[in-house]
Amino acid sequence: MLTEEQQLIQDMARNFANDILKPKAVEREENHEIEESVRRQLAELGFLGMTIDPEWDGAGADYVSYALALMEVAAGDGAVSTMLSVHNAPFLAILDKFASDAQKEKWMKPAARGEFIGCFALTEAHAGSDASALRTRAVKTDGGYIINGSKQFISSARIGGATILFAVTDPEAGKKGLSAFYARNDIKGFNIAGVEEKMGQMASDTCALQFDDMFLPDENLIGKEGQGYGIALSSLETGRIGIASQSVGMAQAAFDYALAYSKERTSFGKPIFEHQAVQFRLADADTKLEAARQLILHAARMKDAGIPCLREAAMAKLFASEIAEEVCSAAIQTLGGYGYLREYPVEKIYRDVRICQIYEGTSDIQKIIIARQMA
């Protein structure tokens, strides 16, 4: 049921994942870095500006294509799909919606061409899901703002070229006192305070940032003062479609490996796939994967049609991220003891997929959003 263009993009992403990403996924994890050649090839394929209009040097693809591409890339390496997801949304999605034409020309065009990787800095150590509790301050001065504070869990900050960050410009205004800014990662006062050691997705750097008297000119304000909270929330639909897609992609890779293994591994004189217990486990996993995939594509089609899909995107993210862990666990169980070894890929995928229930809004946050839509 895909269009010719959607099928072409999916095939391109699948070939890239199989030929480039999968063979070096373990090496990438051991090196704790996504190599420059991968970033360059993603740019050449148009995947670093997928939904941005060609007028601004993007690929102009629809959101269904974006979801399909993310699934395939995630199947090759979950860490690469995280970098890809954050760069497209929220980073580019925010610039596309809120940046002025002059800002788009200066910032969005090169980002959509893939000349650098974009980052999104909202979370702080004491304020995870509560974006209204930020402490990073932006104080107005002649010609710009002086920013001091810190951010936590910022994807791609070490390899990234620029960051959309959020700071308080009016401490007395609550949510309405938050503003959004664009900052290059190499300017004075923008510091990588540390790179986190994580359970999974080790190739995707996750950093703590420290801003020490960092000056940003007036032209680096995105939108208007006080619009930061709305800007931060604006890309949640696309971001959640992205995380749901990578959840399914990683889980599908684990499932495919377990299915192939079950047809080769023999027990009691026949392939273990012929044992009903194994068949039922794999049938459950396959069904959950298909249900999650359809939730994602439904939300993406609504997005393409210009229909608000906050509820549908939250449902897709919630369901896909939670069943992804279940499917990966079922894959490990199918391999038995071998599934627990790092020699086999399902162990890595299981670690990589766990974060999907946490970032871009935890499962609890998704449930709150869904429940509010019922009121």
Side-chain angles (χ1 to χ4, degrees):
M1 296 178 65
L2 303 180
T3 66
E4 184 176 344
E5 181 178 357
Q6 290 166 349
Q7 187 66 63
L8 175 63
I9 290 173
Q10 183 183 47
D11 291 343
M12 286 171 53
R14 181 175 296 156
N15 292 336
F16 177 73
N18 289 333
D19 297 343
I20 305 299
L21 297 183
K22 279 185 182 179
K24 291 190 174 182
V26 173
E27 179 181 337
R28 209 170 286 119
E29 178 176 63
E30 292 173 347
N31 293 336
H32 286 61
E33 185 173 8
I34 299 168
E35 60 271 36
E36 174 59 31
S37 61
V38 164
R39 305 200 294 268
R40 185 173 61 252
Q41 289 174 80
L42 284 169
E44 291 170 354
L45 290 169
F47 290 164
L48 292 180
M50 284 201 70
T51 60
I52 301 301
D53 193 281
E55 175 189 359
W56 302 106
D57 293 349
D62 60 17
Y63 286 97
V64 169
S65 297
Y66 173 63
L68 293 169
L70 262 178
M71 289 180 201
E72 299 299 337
V73 170
D77 191 333
V80 175
S81 71
T82 292
M83 179 192 74
L84 181 62
S85 178
V86 173
H87 179 81
N88 277 282
F91 183 79
L92 278 174
I94 285 175
L95 292 181
D96 190 32
K97 188 170 183 179
F98 294 98
S100 67
D101 284 353
Q103 291 173 330
K104 288 180 180 180
E105 187 72 32
K106 186 176 181 179
W107 305 332
M108 194 171 78
K109 272 192 171 183
R113 293 194 296 267
E115 293 181 10
F116 63 87
I117 297 299
C119 312
F120 178 78
L122 177 66
T123 301
E124 297 182 4
H126 63 281
S129 297
D130 186 4
S132 64
L134 301 186
R135 295 177 183 169
T136 296
R137 286 292 312 277
V139 178
K140 190 72 180 73
T141 188
D142 290 341
Y145 298 82
I146 299 293
I147 297 180
N148 286 281
S150 61
K151 298 293 179 180
Q152 191 76 28
F153 305 130
I154 310 306
S155 297
S156 305
R158 182 167 55 87
I159 64 168
T163 298
I164 293 175
L165 63 94
F166 297 82
V168 176
T169 47
D170 184 354
E172 306 302 320
K175 294 179 181 179
K176 294 181 179 179
L178 196 64
S179 300
F181 299 88
Y182 178 98
R184 287 181 55 85
N185 290 15
D186 59 359
I187 64 172
K188 183 180 179 181
F190 187 109
N191 301 306
I192 305 293
V195 181
E196 305 295 349
E197 291 292 334
K198 301 175 296 183
M199 174 183 178
Q201 295 203 26
M202 297 176 190
S204 170
D205 59 277
T206 303
C207 304
L209 303 181
Q210 183 70 39
F211 308 125
D212 298 313
D213 291 332
M214 181 176 70
F215 174 77
L216 293 177
D218 287 328
E219 65 182 28
N220 283 41
L221 176 69
I222 300 173
K224 298 178 181 179
E225 278 196 17
Q227 288 186 332
Y229 190 77
I231 290 173
L233 299 183
S234 68
S235 63
L236 292 182
E237 291 178 350
T238 309
R240 285 164 181 164
I241 290 171
I243 302 306
S245 298
Q246 71 166 179
S247 300
V248 165
M250 284 186 271
Q252 186 69 56
F255 172 84
D256 289 344
Y257 191 90
L259 178 61
Y261 179 89
S262 73
K263 294 178 179 179
E264 296 172 359
R265 175 79 158 87
T266 59
S267 175
F268 300 104
K270 58 183 178 181
I272 62 172
F273 179 76
E274 295 183 17
H275 295 291
Q276 193 176 66
V278 175
Q279 288 182 343
F280 280 10
R281 183 186 305 124
L282 293 174
D284 282 343
D286 196 24
T287 301
K288 290 173 182 176
L289 276 171
E290 187 60 32
R293 185 178 293 106
Q294 294 306 321
L295 279 171
I296 294 165
L297 294 178
H298 175 58
R301 290 187 179 106
M302 291 181 69
K303 187 77 176 172
D304 284 328
I307 302 171
C309 59
L310 185 63
R311 168 180 175 269
E312 289 75 13
M315 286 179 169
K317 199 272 187 185
L318 171 66
F319 186 74
S321 63
E322 296 203 339
I323 68 96
E325 184 181 2
E326 296 176 22
V327 170
C328 289
S329 180
I332 290 174
Q333 196 70 24
T334 301
L335 268 68
Y338 292 115
Y340 201 65
L341 302 181
R342 292 204 169 186
E343 181 181 350
Y344 292 80
V346 292
E347 179 271 344
K348 175 183 179 298
I349 299 171
Y350 185 83
R351 289 185 289 106
D352 286 351
V353 86
R354 183 59 182 85
I355 187 62
C356 293
Q357 296 177 54
I358 299 173
Y359 59 14
E360 201 66 38
T362 65
S363 290
D364 292 333
I365 291 294
Q366 306 309 317
K367 292 174 184 177
I368 290 171
I369 292 168
I370 295 164
R372 285 175 178 170
Q373 301 300 305
M374 301 176 191

